[in-house]
Amino acid sequence: MKEILAKLLNHEELSREEMKKILIGITQSEYPNEQVTALLTALQMRGVTVDELLGFRDGILETGVPVPLHCDRYIDVVGTGGDRKNTFNISTTSCFVIAGAGYKVAKHGNYAATSTSGASNVIAQHGVQFTDDLDQLNRCLDECGIVYLHAQLFARAMKFVGPIRKALQFPTIFNLLGPLVNPSQPSCQLLGVANLDQMRLYQQVYQRLGIDYGIVNSIDGYDEISLTGDFKVTTNQYERIFSPSDLGFAIARPDELVAGATEQEAKAIFDAVLENHALPAQKNIVLANAAFGIQVLERGALSLDECIAKARESIDSGKALATFRKFVELNS
């Protein structure tokens, strides 16, 4: 570690293999907390490279619990978080809409860090029990098209750095890793990022991993398609700035996206969207995010209008709600 820190102080970059070994060493308690703190601080001050991010990803997946799913093509929809906007559970709701449209989804998530309700919060609010039982996870994917992977059951490395991250009180490389360490390693992902620097970083990561991706950022700082203004989308096929009107939607007000002050309020919005009696803006935001997820799954072969129509039919027909109810039944 002394050599590694010397490299960082000399403004050198670390290799993917070096970072993987460091992560594994952290899980084996090879380094004192002071050295890990210095490492995370130095990386954050200089900025994380693609190889450094991939190396820590490799280490987390190797030391974690793998989830081999009996399905070749499925998607995860996730945001980096940290945009401080306290939106309702847009990604999680979109996942059930995508599954209701007939696609497979492996949603990876955790409890909220900076908002009222994370994916795990809203799902637990419905009485769901998280599991790492592979048979049950595969049965859930087979029978209702979606499986939920609660991050704390799989990424064992995270508990070793939890106290350090809490003490530092600023973002570290671990904040960037959440979207990349889905233990089932999906071949498709729709990722929301809070700024364009993150978009460029993840674009390079996904290109190296060779997966089908869509990365979205609302220009006003949301880590999802918020419909509060223009937003940028980067996929394997294109890079483009959209306005809500391009999708046939009205501009949403920021207050229409807020999760509320309690987990119960966030749950109520989640339920309202799936039950098809949410505010028009709340439904439209979910339709937009789900549509881009469907387009990633279809490798860009469907137009956005076609993808929006599929997402809308999922909600309007009750299929999204039926999918969620089946999911709760299988996991309670």
Side-chain angles (χ1 to χ4, degrees), residues 50-302:
V50 172
D51 272 334
E52 289 165 351
L53 191 56
L54 285 170
F56 258 31
R57 173 188 182 269
D58 295 342
I60 287 176
L61 292 174
E62 184 167 310
T63 57
V65 179
V67 180
L69 296 175
H70 305 158
C71 178
D72 291 333
R73 192 165 182 80
Y74 52 91
I75 195 168
D76 186 9
V77 182
V78 64
T80 54
D83 63 6
R84 306 282 177 179
K85 301 290 190 181
N86 193 32
T87 52
F88 73 95
N89 302 94
I90 295 169
S91 295
T92 309
T93 317
S94 300
C95 282
F96 285 97
V97 173
I98 292 169
Y103 299 92
K104 300 291 188 182
V105 180
K107 170 66 176 154
H108 181 233
N110 209 335
Y111 293 117
T114 58
S115 62
T116 298
S117 177
S120 292
N121 299 89
V122 75
I123 287 174
Q125 278 283 310
H126 291 85
V128 168
Q129 302 294 310
F130 303 131
T131 183
D132 60 359
D133 182 272
L134 286 178
D135 290 338
Q136 184 174 339
L137 293 171
N138 273 293
R139 179 187 170 209
C140 186
L141 186 63
D142 290 341
E143 294 191 17
C144 68
I146 184 168
V147 63
Y148 185 71
L149 306 172
H150 177 55
Q152 294 179 16
L153 295 178
F154 304 98
R156 291 173 174 164
M158 290 303 193
K159 69 180 181 182
F160 291 91
V161 294
I164 295 172
R165 294 178 68 196
K166 189 172 183 179
L168 285 176
Q169 296 192 345
F170 58 75
T172 70
I173 185 174
F174 287 99
N175 294 74
L176 298 171
L177 283 164
L180 300 175
V181 293
N182 183 320
S184 71
Q185 299 188 49
S187 59
C188 304
Q189 191 162 45
L190 182 72
L191 172 67
V193 297
N195 58 65
L196 296 180
D197 287 339
Q198 287 185 355
M199 178 174 277
R200 285 186 284 272
L201 177 65
Y202 283 107
Q203 182 180 19
Q204 294 176 67
V205 168
Y206 286 141
Q207 288 171 347
R208 291 277 291 278
L209 293 175
I211 70 172
D212 292 319
Y213 65 88
I215 311 171
V216 304
N217 166 253
S218 289
I219 304 302
D220 52 359
Y222 288 88
D223 69 332
E224 53 225 339
I225 299 167
S226 65
L227 299 183
T228 51
D230 290 353
F231 58 94
K232 185 171 184 178
V233 180
T234 297
T235 74
N236 304 74
Q237 288 80 32
Y238 64 82
E239 187 170 319
R240 181 183 162 188
I241 292 176
F242 294 88
S243 66
S245 61
D246 293 330
L247 279 62
F249 296 131
I251 291 177
R253 299 193 316 271
D255 62 281
E256 295 176 303
L257 282 69
V258 175
T262 66
E263 290 185 16
Q264 291 75 22
E265 290 177 26
K267 172 182 178 289
I269 299 172
F270 174 89
D271 291 345
V273 175
L274 294 181
E275 293 166 4
N276 203 17
H277 58 75
L279 295 175
Q282 292 168 340
K283 178 180 177 179
N284 289 345
I285 288 157
V286 170
L287 289 176
N289 285 274
F292 279 95
I294 290 170
Q295 192 176 58
V296 170
L297 280 157
E298 293 283 0
R299 295 190 175 93
L302 295 183

